[in-house]
Amino acid sequence: MKYILMFISFFMLVSCAQYKVIGKFHKYDEVFIGDVNHNLLAGVGEIKAKGENSGIICSGSSYVTYKPLFAIGCAGQRGKAPLTCTDGRLLDLDWLATSCTTGEGIGRDQDGASFAFTFGLNEKDALIRLAELKNEVKGKPDLPVYRPKEHRAEKGFATGTGFAVSTNGHLITNFHVIDEASTIIVKDTFNNREYYADLLKVDKQNDLALIKININTKKLNLVSANNSERGNEVFALGYPLIQLQGQSQKANFGRINALSGIEDDIRFFQVDIPIQPGNSGGPMISKNGDVVGVMTATLDSIITFKLSGNIPQNVNFAVKSDYALPLLRDLNIDNTKNTEEYSFTEIIQKVEESVFLIISK
């Protein structure tokens, strides 16, 4: 019994470990040092590291995505470590383990800046390696402090999508896309023209906004979603991650999975349409060619992992069109539901020029 208790105590002790992590941006004069609190039994870790020059702190959870077959130990395991920084920066990191407590990885932030890191060092070795990294990046430009609202137009982050709901230039988008913006620009990517927009109405509670540009537009048919059902095929048009994917309009396809959102919020649909930052405010369109929702949010993978231990897959949400219709009450627009169904290819060809890139400054 004595030896069993000693073994259990030792096993519990080594199942949780703390060690150093260090990293650097390749093109900036910035290095990071911090800690990983690693639960070896669960295969997860909590990471927190601080920039030596900028002082920003990046933190998040790491998890295993691949384990080699028939492997003894942890060498060869791979995983992800999505981190959020105090300046709003997002780091998407991939790592490779060389043992159960050591490894290295690479990744990028939301603007594409590459980042490399090493973990599993003791305090002494970490400080030595940190000094080496400082010499490697010395003389490079300072890391730009990330301010999404001030740099959305330049960086592409937090741009969004909007769609025409009248023939007179009225567009619907998400409120969070234009929140606190002093200038709203609407870009027609098909004709490569930009227009300044006026903000007419907002519905902060439902994350919706009505804006207007001074041109004639081809309106989409925004209708009540009260006949929508689970399993209905739908698609979204929008402008996701333009800094990486470019400014050509993207179409993404899926189904309605639930008639309510997080915690059974009846204002939302849960859908498996894959969306990214930049899809916000775009139309969710049915096989009838009607807009039945406004793409709004994706389930936060880091928070979900912390709460459940699982990573969500394509769990996204759209505000039901019924909550956007009140914004149009003064416009006297006829929004009769279509009864015929079409192929998605046919619908896209008809409606693509009614969907715009939104840039707020």
Side-chain angles (χ1 to χ4, degrees):
M1 178 62 72
K2 175 182 178 181
Y3 294 107
I4 293 176
L5 291 174
M6 290 176 61
F7 174 78
I8 293 174
S9 299
F10 174 76
F11 188 68
M12 292 178 63
L13 179 65
V14 300
S15 68
C16 295
Q18 183 182 75
Y19 41 82
K20 290 296 180 182
V21 58
I22 59 169
K24 69 170 184 176
F25 279 99
H26 288 107
K27 65 178 183 179
Y28 296 119
D29 182 11
E30 182 60 294
V31 296
F32 287 76
I33 184 169
D35 297 297
V36 179
N37 289 296
H38 189 188
N39 187 323
L40 300 178
L41 292 177
V44 299
E46 293 293 326
I47 302 171
K48 186 175 183 180
K50 183 177 180 179
E52 289 283 287
N53 296 328
S54 65
I56 67 172
I57 296 174
C58 301
S59 60
S61 300
S62 70
Y63 54 91
V64 176
T65 59
Y66 169 77
K67 294 182 179 181
L69 292 175
F70 312 115
I72 299 176
C74 307
Q77 290 186 5
R78 298 173 187 169
K80 300 282 292 185
L83 306 184
T84 302
C85 304
T86 52
D87 69 336
R89 190 179 309 271
L90 304 174
L91 289 173
D92 184 15
L93 307 178
D94 297 281
W95 53 263
L96 173 67
T98 53
S99 75
C100 285
T101 57
T102 61
E104 57 188 19
I106 57 174
R108 296 182 182 275
D109 70 7
Q110 76 291 329
D111 293 324
S114 59
F115 185 85
F117 62 100
T118 302
F119 58 89
L121 303 172
N122 59 40
E123 184 83 30
K124 180 180 178 180
D125 290 341
L127 293 176
I128 293 173
R129 182 57 183 146
L130 188 69
E132 295 173 349
L133 293 184
K134 287 182 178 180
N135 286 329
E136 292 175 11
V137 300
K138 186 177 181 180
K140 294 184 178 182
D142 291 338
L143 179 70
V145 177
Y146 187 62
R147 297 183 177 91
K149 291 179 180 177
E150 289 82 351
H151 296 284
R152 279 186 277 194
E154 176 186 354
K155 302 296 184 182
F157 181 75
T159 57
T161 301
F163 60 96
V165 290
S166 81
T167 57
N168 299 316
H170 295 89
L171 278 67
I172 290 288
T173 188
N174 280 143
F175 171 72
H176 76 258
V177 172
I178 51 84
D179 183 20
E180 295 188 15
S182 59
T183 302
I184 304 171
I185 296 173
V186 175
K187 184 169 183 178
D188 175 357
T189 60
F190 291 91
N191 298 298
N192 197 30
R193 300 192 65 179
E194 294 183 352
Y195 307 93
Y196 289 100
D198 295 318
L199 179 60
L200 301 184
K201 297 180 181 179
V202 299
D203 179 353
K204 295 181 182 180
Q205 184 176 1
N206 295 310
D207 195 16
L208 295 168
L210 179 68
I211 61 176
K212 187 179 187 302
I213 53 179
N214 291 320
I215 64 168
N216 293 327
T217 48
K218 301 176 182 178
K219 83 176 187 75
L220 294 186
N221 197 38
L222 182 71
V223 303
S224 172
N226 58 1
N227 292 329
S228 298
E229 300 288 347
R230 285 182 299 166
N232 285 170
E233 293 182 86
V234 286
F235 73 96
L237 291 177
Y239 295 91
L241 292 174
I242 64 171
Q243 72 275 20
L244 296 177
Q245 296 180 240
Q247 295 189 13
S248 61
Q249 190 183 92
K250 308 299 188 296
N252 298 91
F253 308 90
R255 294 178 184 272
I256 295 175
N257 306 132
L259 302 181
S260 58
I262 296 174
E263 296 183 346
D264 294 324
D265 191 330
I266 62 170
R267 296 173 299 168
F268 295 91
F269 288 119
Q270 179 182 315
V271 298
D272 57 13
I273 301 172
I275 61 172
Q276 306 294 336
N279 277 114
S280 295
M284 187 177 82
I285 302 174
S286 71
K287 295 204 72 173
N288 302 103
D290 295 331
V291 177
V292 294
V294 182
M295 301 309 303
T296 301
T298 187
L299 191 62
D300 190 291
S301 60
I302 297 175
I303 293 175
T304 303
F305 183 78
K306 288 181 177 179
L307 292 175
S308 69
N310 296 299
I311 303 300
Q313 302 292 325
N314 275 351
V315 181
N316 304 309
F317 302 97
V319 179
K320 293 177 181 176
S321 51
D322 300 79
Y323 295 90
L325 287 171
L327 296 176
L328 313 185
R329 281 176 182 163
D330 300 331
L331 303 182
N332 296 318
I333 297 173
D334 178 26
N335 294 90
T336 304
K337 292 183 179 181
N338 293 316
T339 56
E340 294 186 31
E341 290 192 355
Y342 306 90
S343 72
F344 282 159
T345 300
E346 290 176 307
I347 298 172
I348 291 170
Q349 291 172 351
K350 291 179 181 179
V351 307
E352 59 186 1
E353 293 188 19
S354 301
V355 181
F356 299 85
L357 170 63
I358 309 295
I359 305 170
S360 55
K361 295 183 179 179

